[in-house]
Amino acid sequence: MVTPIPERHLFGPGPANPYPEATAGLGLPLLGHLDPDFLQIMDEVCEMLRTVWGTSNQRTLPLSATGSAGMEAAFVNTVGRGDVAVIAVNGLFGERMCDVAARCGAEVIRVDHEWGQPIDPQRVVDAHPDPKVIAAVHAETSTGVRSDIAALGRLKGEALLIVDAVTSIGGIDLRTDDWGVDVGYAGSQKCLGVAPGLAPFTINDRAFARRIERPQSWYLDLGLLGGYVGEASTSHTGRTYHHTAPTGMIASMHGALSRILAEGLDQVIARHEEAGRILQDGLQELGLELFAAEGSRLPELTTVKVPDGVDSATVRKELLTRYNIEIGSGVGPYAQTVWRIGLMGHNARPDTARLMLAALEDCLGR
Ligand code: PLP
C-alpha cells in the first residue's frame, strides 16, 4: 500500500515536497563527529555564536538539546541545595525557570510581574540581599515582551546573572558582555532560523569558577563538556569524547550563522525591527489592540488581543488552511484571548508582515 502524500508535511505545504534538496540532504551520509572537517565546522559555529551573543566567552557552544535543556544547563551548573535564586517572572518561561531551579534544590524567590509587562529590575534585585543567581527572560515569547537586561546587569551586585535569550538571539540587540550577563542560553529555532534541537549557550569565567562541582546532571555538566568543544586536548583530534555531536544540526547552524553574518548582524536586527513595526502599526490600523506594553514590544513576536466576538481557533485555522500562515494562540490565562504572531529569521521581512496583515484582514472580514 502506498501512503498518500499529505497536503502539508514537515517541509511545508503542497502535494509534493517543494524542498527535495533539503530532504535529500538530511538523508546523505554525514561527516563523523570527530572528523577534522567537522571539528572545523564546530569551531566556526562557536566563533560565530560569540558574535551573535556579543561575547568573548571561550565557553560558548551549541548544546545538543533544545532551549529548555539550555535552561536546565544554566541552573544545574550554578545552583544546588539551599542556594538562593531570585527569578523574575513575567510569563511562561520565567515560570519554567522557577520550576527548574527548584528541582536543582535552590531556594527560589520568585518576583512576579503582570503578564504583558517588562520586568522591573529594581524590584527584582530588592527581593534578596545576597542571592547566588538572578535570572530573567530577555524576550518573553509567551507575552511578546522585551525586558531591560542591561539594567539588571548594572544592579546585580555579586550575583550571577542568568539570561534566557531563546527568542532574542539573532533578532534583537543582545550584548552578553556589555550587559554583565554571566550565563546565557538560547534556541536554534527562533530568530536564528535553524531547525529546533540546539541550544546556543555561553558562560563566562566568573560563573564557571563558581559553578557546582558535581551537578545533578551528567549530560549537562559544563565541567565535562569543555573537551567536546576543544577546551581540553587529550586526543589526536584535540577533543575528548563527551557525546556524539548532532553533526547535521551543527552544519545547519553553521549555514544559518554564516548567512546572518554575511547579511550583517546589525542589518538582520534592523530587518526584524522594521517587519515588527509594519505588522504592529498595521494591526492597530485594523482596529486591533496589542497586548504587550508599549515601549517593550518585541518586533519578532507580536501579541494582539482577539477581538470581542471572534473565535480565536477558527481564525487561526483559516489562516493556516487558506494562507498557509501559522500563528500561535496565547499562553496560559490568555490562551483564548491573545494571538502570538512571529516574524523571525527569514520571515522577518516587510512583505511577510504585509501578507500577514492582508490575510488577517480577510479572515476577520474587515
Ligand atoms: N525560553 C523561551 C523564551 C522560549 O520561547 C522557549 C521556547 O519557545 C524556551 C525557553 C524553551 O525552548 P525549547 O522549546 O526549545 O525547549
Side-chain angles (χ1 to χ4, degrees):
M1 196 185 117
V2 178
T3 312
I5 298 168
E7 283 255 313
R8 297 179 46 79
H9 50 74
L10 188 59
F11 293 97
N17 181 356
Y19 304 118
E21 343 60 75
T23 328
L26 289 172
L28 288 173
L30 293 165
L31 288 179
H33 71 115
L34 292 175
D35 186 301
D37 286 346
F38 171 70
L39 296 176
Q40 169 83 22
I41 289 172
M42 176 66 110
D43 285 346
E44 288 175 13
V45 164
C46 294
E47 190 51 37
M48 290 190 281
L49 282 178
R50 284 184 195 98
T51 304
V52 289
W53 273 112
T55 186
S56 59
N57 289 341
Q58 198 228 334
R59 294 179 188 87
T60 301
L61 70 154
L63 291 179
S64 313
T66 73
S68 302
M71 187 188 288
E72 296 227 338
F75 286 99
V76 83
N77 282 281
T78 55
V79 288
R81 198 145 299 284
D83 287 333
V84 174
V86 170
I87 301 180
V89 178
N90 64 338
L92 177 76
F93 294 103
E95 285 190 344
R96 187 174 295 184
M97 279 181 162
C98 295
D99 194 358
V100 169
R103 286 168 192 240
C104 296
E107 181 192 329
V108 174
I109 298 184
R110 175 182 166 134
V111 186
D112 273 290
H113 299 73
E114 195 184 327
W115 286 33
Q117 296 294 322
I119 65 158
D120 175 348
Q122 190 64 55
R123 208 154 68 72
V124 175
V125 297
D126 286 347
H128 191 277
D130 189 24
K132 176 152 188 211
V133 305
I134 295 175
V137 178
H138 185 203
E140 236 318 333
T141 328
S142 61
T143 60
V145 166
R146 173 188 342 220
S147 285
D148 186 351
I149 300 300
L152 201 53
R154 282 194 294 274
L155 297 168
K156 72 178 182 181
E158 288 306 304
L160 298 174
L161 177 57
I162 296 177
V163 169
D164 177 321
V166 169
T167 293
S168 54
I169 196 166
I172 57 173
D173 201 21
L174 173 64
R175 301 174 193 226
T176 300
D177 292 353
D178 291 353
W179 294 350
V181 177
D182 297 290
V183 184
Y185 61 87
S188 44
Q189 72 271 30
K190 298 285 198 305
C191 301
L192 297 180
V194 186
L198 290 176
F201 191 89
T202 190
I203 179 168
N204 64 17
D205 291 343
R206 177 174 176 267
F208 193 72
R210 291 174 63 187
R211 76 186 187 282
I212 303 291
E213 267 306 322
R214 200 178 151 79
Q216 297 279 324
S217 166
W218 177 89
Y219 186 64
L220 298 173
D221 179 350
L222 295 173
L224 299 177
L225 268 166
Y228 166 71
V229 287
E231 190 184 306
S233 181
T234 57
S235 71
H236 71 285
T237 60
R239 299 298 207 276
T240 47
Y241 165 72
H242 178 272
H243 67 275
T244 307
T247 51
M249 288 296 299
I250 304 283
S252 80
M253 176 158 278
H254 189 276
L257 289 167
S258 303
R259 277 199 303 279
I260 288 170
L261 298 184
E263 183 179 346
L265 185 56
D266 289 346
Q267 171 54 32
V268 169
I269 289 171
R271 179 159 60 67
H272 280 79
E273 189 66 43
E274 187 188 8
R277 188 177 34 74
I278 291 170
L279 178 65
Q280 292 171 11
D281 288 352
L283 289 169
Q284 292 179 100
E285 278 159 26
L286 285 178
L288 299 175
E289 196 184 337
L290 300 181
F291 175 71
E294 195 172 357
S296 300
R297 290 173 185 149
L298 292 171
E300 70 274 34
L301 196 284
T302 295
T303 45
V304 56
K305 294 184 185 173
V306 178
D308 286 343
V310 170
D311 180 57
S312 164
T314 305
V315 172
R316 290 177 59 223
K317 190 167 174 199
E318 265 193 56
L319 283 168
L320 189 61
T321 49
R322 287 172 53 200
Y323 292 97
N324 190 37
I325 293 175
E326 189 206 353
I327 67 167
S329 64
V331 173
Y334 301 100
Q336 310 301 330
T337 53
V338 167
W339 287 313
R340 296 179 308 135
I341 307 174
L343 290 178
M344 301 179 189
H346 180 77
N347 271 341
R349 299 177 182 280
D351 54 346
T352 315
R354 293 193 184 99
L355 175 65
M356 174 69 228
L357 287 167
L360 188 60
E361 185 174 15
D362 185 31
C363 291
L364 288 174
R366 294 195 171 210

